[in-house]
Amino acid sequence: DLHSFPTRRSSDLAIKATFAVIPARLSNKGIDSLRKWQEEGFGICLHGYNHDDWKGWTCQDIIEDINRCESLLKQKGFKLQDLSRYVVPPHSRNTIAIRNAMRAKQYKMITGASLANPDSTRFQLGRVFITKKTNIKKIEYVLNKAKEKRAFIILSTHSSIKEEFSPN
């Protein structure tokens, strides 16, 4: 349950947290948690309908994937008007087709991992992964440093990986 993750409210740090979601992989419990987060002012952005690799996809294929994301989230009760206008392309991809799809859909793109990106001069952002073994105090320290420097951090859980976030 993402909603019970032991953390301070983003408003305590004056940081707006945004969760990149994979709509087709969300459990009902995950959906409920994320809707609560959205109601509390946290951002929800897209990470591909099923986390399929967009490398080699056409601009139209990517637009259709984003449309499927929006449709499923709306069906599950999310407020699309409150969606963050960002997309984290699956597998950290950064292609011309993806950039064109972002422009067409009026989204901004966040991606990282220069090894996966053909254009190493653009959109290079690292992500801090959160797992069951994450030291929450270290994450809190990083968040405080981000606030101090008026920066931002991408925290990644890939919480759709059941083995990593299952209660068993």
Side-chain angles (χ1 to χ4, degrees):
D1 180 3
L2 290 174
H3 200 69
S4 63
F5 190 80
T7 185
R8 291 167 40 178
R9 294 171 61 96
S10 68
S11 57
D12 292 346
L13 293 172
I15 296 172
K16 181 180 179 183
T18 300
F19 296 93
V21 301
I22 304 167
R25 293 188 181 180
L26 287 173
S27 67
N28 288 333
K29 194 173 186 179
I31 289 167
D32 291 343
S33 291
L34 287 167
R35 272 198 320 254
K36 287 177 189 172
W37 283 112
Q38 188 183 43
E39 289 166 10
E40 291 179 20
F42 289 80
I44 304 293
C45 71
L46 308 176
H47 192 38
Y49 182 79
N50 208 9
H51 203 260
D52 294 324
D53 191 344
W54 289 351
K55 183 180 181 182
W57 285 29
T58 67
C59 176
Q60 190 56 44
D61 290 337
I62 296 162
I63 288 171
E64 288 171 16
D65 197 64
I66 292 169
N67 289 342
R68 288 177 70 201
C69 289
E70 293 169 337
S71 178
L72 185 61
L73 289 175
K74 182 178 180 181
Q75 176 189 349
K76 298 294 183 181
F78 288 87
K79 296 175 184 164
L80 291 188
Q81 70 273 15
D82 293 340
L83 270 185
S84 183
R85 296 307 298 173
Y86 291 93
V87 171
V88 179
H91 303 274
S92 302
R93 296 299 182 191
N94 177 1
T95 65
I96 291 169
I98 294 170
R99 292 194 298 269
N100 288 339
M102 296 305 109
R103 269 190 289 280
K105 290 292 293 178
Q106 297 181 336
Y107 278 102
K108 293 180 182 175
M109 179 172 75
I110 297 174
T111 189
S114 58
L115 294 174
N117 291 320
D119 182 351
S120 62
T121 63
R122 299 176 63 166
F123 309 110
Q124 301 305 307
L125 300 170
R127 293 179 286 185
V128 177
F129 279 84
I130 300 173
T131 70
K132 286 181 176 180
K133 297 175 185 160
T134 298
N135 181 323
I136 299 302
K137 289 291 182 196
K138 285 183 181 178
I139 294 295
E140 189 171 26
Y141 172 81
V142 170
L143 289 171
N144 281 318
K145 282 294 179 190
K147 178 184 177 188
E148 213 175 272
K149 295 180 181 214
R150 303 189 66 132
F152 66 91
I153 298 169
I154 301 169
L155 299 174
S156 180
T157 64
H158 274 75
S159 56
S160 59
I161 302 170
K162 289 181 176 63
E163 304 79 50
E164 186 61 38
F165 284 85
S166 166
N168 297 328

